[in-house]
Amino acid sequence: MRNRRSMFHRSIFRADPNGDPDINTTPLIDVMLVMLVMFIITIPAPTHSVDVTLPTGDVPGKILDQNRVTIDTSDVIRWNDEAIDLAELGVLVKQASERAEPAAILLEPDARARYLRVDEAIGAIRRNGGTKLAFPGIENYAGLI
């Protein structure tokens, strides 16, 4: 009696009369790739936006030719010794960078200030057009390395 195999069995397994049938992985890989393409097509486009409410009206602080931005260990940002928040820092930097001769910004974080707060301040300065950025007092960090 001759052993007949179904069409499905012949499509999945290679029928070798001299050996054991091996699994044909080609159709399985094809199905996997089709599913992968379907998943990629159905993923929605990422939206990277953060709503930020900027202050309106007068912003505290004057813009000088050289403006000192300091960050202390309690995460307080100061613009020429006046306490401001991150949004106000962005507005002041934008005003300083839109002058005919852009004002210099001297960033002087405390040696023990949190890195996250310093990074946020640098990001706000760079996003708002602060191109003349200097780091005076870098020698304060010599003992921490």
Side-chain angles (χ1 to χ4, degrees), residues 4-13:
R4 292 186 179 232
R5 295 190 173 169
S6 68
M7 292 297 284
F8 173 75
H9 189 272
R10 276 186 267 169
S11 70
I12 298 295
F13 295 100

Side-chain angles (χ1 to χ4, degrees), residues 3-145:
N3 188 3
R4 292 186 179 232
R5 295 190 173 169
S6 68
M7 292 297 284
F8 173 75
H9 189 272
R10 276 186 267 169
S11 70
I12 298 295
F13 295 100
R14 293 186 191 126
D16 185 7
N18 297 330
D20 292 331
D22 294 331
I23 294 179
N24 183 5
T25 57
T26 303
L28 301 175
I29 292 172
D30 290 344
V31 169
M32 181 190 66
L33 291 175
V34 168
M35 290 178 66
L36 180 64
V37 169
M38 288 173 53
F39 285 134
I40 290 173
I41 290 172
T42 59
I43 293 175
T47 56
H48 299 289
S49 65
V50 177
D51 293 331
V52 177
T53 305
L54 295 177
T56 57
D58 284 346
V59 178
K62 294 187 324 186
I63 298 174
L64 308 173
D65 289 336
Q66 287 189 345
N67 299 287
R68 232 174 113 233
V69 177
T70 59
I71 303 171
D72 60 15
T73 55
S74 59
D75 288 344
V76 175
I77 300 174
R78 297 186 187 280
W79 176 274
N80 296 327
D81 296 325
E82 292 183 32
I84 59 171
D85 63 2
L86 209 53
E88 292 169 338
L89 175 64
V91 171
L92 286 168
V93 169
K94 189 174 221 50
Q95 290 174 357
S97 65
E98 290 175 348
R99 294 174 41 171
E101 177 64 31
I105 298 169
L106 309 174
L107 183 64
E108 299 180 53
D110 188 88
R112 304 270 183 222
R114 286 188 326 140
Y115 175 78
L116 177 65
R117 192 63 168 174
V118 175
D119 185 51
E120 289 172 346
I122 292 172
I125 291 169
R126 296 296 295 161
R127 276 191 305 275
N128 290 291
T131 55
K132 292 179 76 175
L133 181 62
F135 296 92
I138 197 79
E139 63 274 357
N140 296 340
Y141 298 98
L144 296 177
I145 299 175

